Amino acid sequence: MKKIESSSTLGPGGLDISRAFFKPILNSAPPSPTKRHTKISVIGAGNVGMAIAQTILTQDLVDELALVDAKPEKLRGEMLDLQHAAAFLPRTKIHASVDYSITAGSDLCIVTAGARQIPGESRLNLIQRNLALFKLIIPPLARYSPDCILLIVSNPVDVLTYVAWKLSGFPPNRVIGSGTNLDSSRFRFLLADHLDVNAQDVQASLAYMVGEHGDSSVALWSSISVGGVPVLSFLERQKIAYEKETLENIRKEVVESAYEVINLKGYTSWAIGYSAANLARSLLRDQRKIHPVSVLATGLYGIDGGDVFLSLPAQLGRSGVMGVANVELTDWEAQQLRNAAATILEVQSQLEIEDH
Amino acid sequence: MKKAESSSTLGPGGLDISKAFFKPILNSAPPSPTKRHTKISVIGAGNVGMAIAQTILTQDLADELALVDAQPDKLRGEMLDLQHAAAFLPRTKIHASLDYSITAGSDLCIVTAGARQIPGESRLNLIQRNLVLFKNIIPPLAKYSPDSILLIVSNPVDALTYVAWKLSGFHPNRVIGSGTNLDSSRFRFLLADHLDVNAQDVQASLAYIVGEHGDSSVALWSSITVGGVPVLSYLDRQKIAYEKETLENIRKEVVESAYEVIDLKGYTSWAIGYSVANLARSLLRDQRRIHPVSVLATGLYGIDGGHVFLSLPAQLGRTGVMGVANVELTDYEARQLRNSATTILEAQSQLDIEDL
């Protein structure tokens, strides 16, 4: 931790009494380095990055947190604001730098940095600009923490997770996009709101929003259950009429709810903060839980035509993606998934990832 | 909770199956209202208010959270962003309104709303503007939650806590200002940074920054201990030279560290969020811990001349301020405290609190 310089010489003799307040006991061994020292680096100290950092801290997920951003003053301000909470948090080393060396030895690197869409800008152009940014971010991250897991949050997340995979040279199980993990939370919230149940009881233990994070996401209605009761077959048995359009409206509402928040408060932060912290916990604590996150989907569900990342129900643990759940999809759902893959592949083919 | 309207009619027959997914068991009694239902209202959905709200949610301190602000779009956006995290949080009712009726039945009302200082504006003018704002905020809060505790965060906190007390008509044990609770955290951080210990081990179980939250705060050096060892007497015994100026520099650094964060990132949020959540926990969970917070100080430590709120080490529990710790101050420290009181009283005397 960078020592505050103005106090490091406290008076003429300094106040260097670090070792004076505590006496070691007889024949003590020197402090043994703890084997379990968890370090997370967050790249991007904007609203999203800071919400993620703060939630991770509050949930006591790490021993060390490193922040990186291109703006040194903003970065230092955010670091100090977190450090000032020291008396209220477990002892966590919090430091920040514009230099990536500070991320060395991370177990998990979370990338939130990204250009925002300029009004009228094409999606491809936005991706191209973010590709240029990722070329500055991903290679040093990979170099300083060659064994870490990369978690990409920046949008468009599926394409950028592919980019991160290519630029890092990591095996695909260690490169994950936050994908539809949050969409699924919003979906559960909407359903729970109507069914008057706890959102966590709206089981989507397999997944229900998959595919591309965004407009063409796929809601796996066939997999959703409430309290263990599959929703669709329940409705059919009860002969409760519903129309596919109705379900599609709910899915659209999930997609639009992100835009709604952005229109109202200018950006989203809290929900993605919780979502990313939730993923961090499953990964670093080896929880082996299943999350809908953006993973290498090539070869699954008939997805071919090239390497593509999109959200599928993936089991996450300390080694990253352990596997993808073998969900049974309806023909229609599988087709939607392949359409999502085709859309993403088309965009990717127009990118210039020169190093590969 | 305001239901998302576009989904409330799901298809021709609606999807009103709330009661269909769960069957009650034989002869069930109707749900009994839980006696322990904790509600917190946060007034002001800006950076400070939202950091407080989010920390309270993450730490699972409330069953119900109400947000109030004057800007409806921002308010709704912030509410939605928190609601979207539903799958990652325990079931908490989160709602928001411009109307104070939404705060009814709160156990704790946290006021963060406040005008920011315009460059060149006098402190008195700032207080006067905030007084006008508080006349719109405090009376309805008190009306809708006559038994709640009021926790004032808005600055200048000591004068505004006095204002809130006057406008609410509450007993003084139920009106508290966040005061120097955070300054103390920053102080611990600075000391711990130099002593290479955990900030929580820099014991200030009595308090060490008291008085006015701001430039004229008082550091109670005589009360600070590290691992149980009183700092000053330790230095004396070890004949380690220190100068009063040195200690004063550390105190100043604490005062300036807030300004530093504001200069760097534009505002502070995270640290005050943790600080207030920490106070909320002590109050609502009846922890009876001692915190340096802004309380009615009249009659203590020779403080007279009028009613004044300033930070003293106060024991906090479910009833609010249970008492003020009887710390032994040096003559110098007691005098500093009285000077603090005089400064605040002077500003207060120039206020037009017409209703009082």
Side-chain angles (χ1 to χ4, degrees), chain A residues 129-200:
Chain A
R129 287 201 292 133
N130 277 323
L131 168 57
L133 196 62
F134 267 43
K135 283 181 179 174
L136 299 175
I137 294 175
I138 305 295
L141 276 184
R143 186 172 81 241
Y144 282 111
S145 306
D147 300 321
C148 78
I149 294 170
L150 284 176
L151 176 60
I152 309 302
V153 182
S154 319
N155 273 316
V157 68
D158 302 293
V159 175
L160 290 179
T161 306
Y162 167 81
V163 166
W165 173 54
K166 282 301 202 182
L167 291 174
S168 64
F170 281 6
N173 58 294
R174 285 201 280 118
V175 185
I176 304 164
S178 57
T180 56
N181 195 48
L182 175 52
D183 308 49
S184 300
S185 173
R186 291 187 177 119
F187 200 10
R188 285 186 191 177
F189 166 73
L190 283 176
L191 286 175
D193 194 40
H194 292 286
L195 303 179
D196 197 28
V197 297
N198 188 315
Q200 291 176 11

Side-chain angles (χ1 to χ4, degrees), chain B residues 267-309:
Chain B
Y267 55 90
T268 83
S269 58
W270 308 123
I272 185 68
Y274 285 114
S275 172
V276 172
N278 176 248
L279 295 175
R281 176 181 294 278
S282 285
L283 289 161
L284 296 177
R285 301 292 307 279
D286 200 22
Q287 293 295 291
R288 310 192 176 198
R289 287 182 61 200
I290 299 173
H291 295 265
V293 287
S294 195
V295 297
L296 182 62
T298 311
L300 304 168
Y301 299 104
I303 292 166
D304 50 32
H307 286 134
V308 65
F309 279 71

Side-chain angles (χ1 to χ4, degrees), chain A residues 1-4 6-8 10-12 14-15 17-18 20-22 47 50-51 54-55 57-59 73-74 76-78 80-91 181-182 185-186 188-190 193-200 226-227 229-231 234-235 240-243 246-247 250 253 257-258 260-261 264-265 267-272 274-275 278, chain B residues 1-4 6-8 10-12 14-15 17-18 20-22 47 50-51 54-55 57-59 73-74 76-78 80-91 181-182 185-186 188-190 193-200 226-227 229-231 234-235 240-243 246-247 250 253 257-258 260-261 264-265 267-272 274-275 278:
Chain A
M1 179 157 43
K2 179 171 184 261
K3 294 210 175 265
I4 315 275
S6 58
S7 295
S8 57
L10 295 173
L15 199 60
I17 45 176
S18 325
F21 274 90
F22 297 94
N47 293 311
M50 290 314 300
Q54 193 262 16
T55 308
L57 267 179
T58 313
Q59 296 187 355
E73 290 183 349
K74 165 77 166 167
R76 178 169 168 76
E78 294 288 1
L80 287 175
D81 206 358
L82 289 180
Q83 287 177 342
H84 290 166
F88 309 117
L89 289 171
R91 178 178 167 87
N181 195 48
L182 175 52
S185 173
R186 291 187 177 119
R188 285 186 191 177
F189 166 73
L190 283 176
D193 194 40
H194 292 286
L195 303 179
D196 197 28
V197 297
N198 188 315
Q200 291 176 11
V226 175
V229 181
V231 171
F234 176 84
L235 293 175
I240 294 174
Y242 67 93
E243 294 181 358
T246 301
L247 304 181
I250 299 179
E253 197 178 335
S257 59
E260 187 180 9
V261 176
L264 292 169
K265 64 174 261 192
Y267 55 91
T268 81
S269 58
W270 308 124
I272 186 67
Y274 285 114
S275 173
N278 176 247
Chain B
M1 178 159 40
K2 178 167 183 265
K3 288 197 179 284
S6 58
S7 296
S8 57
L10 296 173
L15 201 61
I17 44 175
S18 321
F21 274 90
F22 297 94
N47 295 311
M50 291 313 301
Q54 192 263 14
T55 308
L57 266 181
T58 314
Q59 293 186 355
D73 285 353
K74 166 77 165 166
R76 179 169 168 76
E78 293 289 2
L80 288 174
D81 206 359
L82 289 180
Q83 287 177 341
H84 290 166
F88 310 116
L89 289 170
R91 176 178 168 87
N181 196 46
L182 175 53
S185 173
R186 291 187 177 119
R188 285 185 190 180
F189 167 72
L190 284 175
D193 193 41
H194 294 284
L195 302 178
D196 196 29
V197 297
N198 188 315
Q200 291 176 9
V226 177
V229 181
V231 172
Y234 177 85
L235 293 174
I240 294 174
Y242 66 91
E243 292 182 359
T246 301
L247 304 181
I250 299 179
E253 198 179 333
S257 60
E260 188 181 8
V261 175
L264 292 168
K265 65 174 261 195
Y267 55 90
T268 83
S269 58
W270 308 123
I272 185 68
Y274 285 114
S275 172
N278 176 248

